[in-house]
Amino acid sequence: MQKKASPLFYVFLILFVFVVMFPFLWMLISSIKPATELFGGKAFTPYTSHPTLENYQSVFFEHPFLRYLWNSTVVSTITTVYAVIVASFAAYAIARLQFKGKTFILGLVLSVSMFPQIATITPIYIFLKNLGLTNSYLGLIIPYSTFTLPLSIWILVTFFRKIPLDLEEAAKIDGATLMQTFWKVIMPLALPGIFTTAILVFIAAWNEFFFALTINTDDKYKTVPIGIAMFQGQFTIPWGEIAAATVVVSVPLVIMVLIFQRRIVSGLTSGSVKE
């Protein structure tokens, strides 16, 4: 018989949720405050007596914010699809196939992911500049692979290793080839882990700032983080607009996590089959 949680547990749970949600709630309140309430004594009040949507109107009508959203969506989606597909094959090979240098490859993948972006931006920028890929979607998708692929491979290797080997051996006995086993046996079981990886990669690409700031300088190809950073003027910083844009940018990620929350939890906790 399970023990019931004590009232103290719920108190700590409510406090924890409040602390986690506080930054977003503060941004939400700030986004509907008039400029006069963003500073002074009313700046720290968790409410507003004169709610307004002027900040949201300014974001969409005074800035090419829809263009920024489109650019981030295209780059993040293509990066996610590419990274997950490539990482699935690489992770399966590392987890299941026997070949020399497997440990070295995993270590190399980890070392690549640990390189700071500032150390790699110069050669990456020169490479893309010589190919004429700056100020383009592909110019961001390629460098984004430097941190999304290692992340995807590491997550999927761990997941593939937890799938029972007996299933593959049974498929081989039935005459399935290696690729048939991968697509028809392993992939259906790996879907929760793949969904989890895809969402983590999408969020990482969506939030990336440094590569997007350096490689795409044309307003036509700027992503959301860069677009929000460019809101500030020479003498003022429009905190209300920045808060409104932050809320708008966060909403797609929140919706995506809510839609796929079961698969995310399944991907983080599964990895084996029930007997």
Side-chain angles (χ1 to χ4, degrees):
M1 184 176 180
Q2 294 182 347
K3 290 180 63 177
K4 290 185 178 181
S6 64
L8 189 62
F9 169 79
Y10 291 105
V11 172
F12 279 112
L13 182 62
I14 293 172
L15 289 174
F16 174 76
V17 172
F18 175 77
V19 170
V20 171
M21 293 297 296
F22 178 78
F24 183 77
L25 293 175
W26 192 267
M27 279 291 176
L28 180 61
I29 295 170
S30 298
S31 69
I32 59 175
K33 280 186 176 183
T36 55
E37 294 186 15
L38 291 173
F39 305 95
K42 295 184 177 180
F44 298 99
T45 55
Y47 61 88
T48 174
S49 55
H50 300 90
T52 177
L53 296 178
E54 289 182 1
N55 293 321
Y56 289 92
Q57 292 175 357
S58 178
V59 165
F60 286 103
F61 294 106
E62 296 182 14
H63 303 277
F65 195 69
L66 287 176
R67 184 69 192 182
Y68 299 153
L69 285 172
W70 173 253
N71 292 340
S72 287
T73 302
V74 171
V75 172
S76 301
T77 301
I78 296 177
T79 300
T80 300
V81 172
Y82 162 74
V84 169
I85 291 176
V86 174
S88 297
F89 288 104
Y92 178 73
I94 293 172
R96 285 295 195 243
L97 303 182
Q98 299 298 326
F99 58 91
K100 292 183 179 179
K102 184 162 62 173
T103 304
F104 172 77
I105 292 175
L106 270 176
L108 184 63
V109 169
L110 178 61
S111 65
V112 168
S113 65
M114 294 175 65
F115 270 97
Q117 289 182 323
I118 191 66
T120 59
I121 186 60
T122 299
I124 288 176
Y125 180 81
I126 294 174
F127 172 75
L128 295 174
K129 185 71 174 178
N130 291 335
L131 292 179
L133 293 178
T134 55
N135 290 317
S136 67
Y137 293 142
L138 191 58
L140 287 183
I141 294 169
I142 293 175
Y144 280 11
S145 303
T146 60
F147 61 87
T148 56
L149 269 177
L151 172 66
S152 303
I153 290 173
W154 269 95
I155 295 175
L156 290 177
V157 163
T158 303
F159 192 86
F160 282 138
R161 282 176 174 172
K162 292 181 180 179
I163 297 178
L165 188 61
D166 295 343
L167 298 176
E168 295 178 62
E169 293 177 350
K172 290 179 182 179
I173 293 174
D174 290 338
T177 63
L178 184 63
M179 289 303 297
Q180 287 175 332
T181 302
F182 177 75
W183 285 112
K184 297 182 179 180
V185 178
I186 300 301
M187 286 300 289
L189 294 174
L191 279 179
I194 291 174
F195 265 97
T196 304
T197 305
I199 291 172
L200 294 177
V201 169
F202 184 90
I203 293 174
W206 182 272
N207 293 330
E208 201 284 325
F209 182 86
F210 190 65
F211 285 140
L213 175 66
T214 308
I215 295 170
N216 284 0
T217 56
D218 190 342
D219 231 24
K220 184 179 178 182
Y221 292 100
K222 287 179 181 176
T223 56
V224 162
I226 309 305
I228 296 176
M230 295 302 171
F231 277 6
Q232 62 184 18
Q234 185 177 0
F235 302 106
T236 60
I237 299 178
W239 292 114
E241 294 180 11
I242 292 174
T246 302
V247 171
V248 173
V249 170
S250 302
V251 166
L253 299 182
V254 173
I255 293 175
M256 182 175 64
V257 171
L258 290 175
I259 292 175
F260 297 110
Q261 60 178 330
R262 290 186 178 179
R263 289 194 176 275
I264 295 174
V265 173
S266 178
L268 293 174
T269 58
S270 62
S272 60
V273 295
K274 295 181 180 179
E275 295 292 340

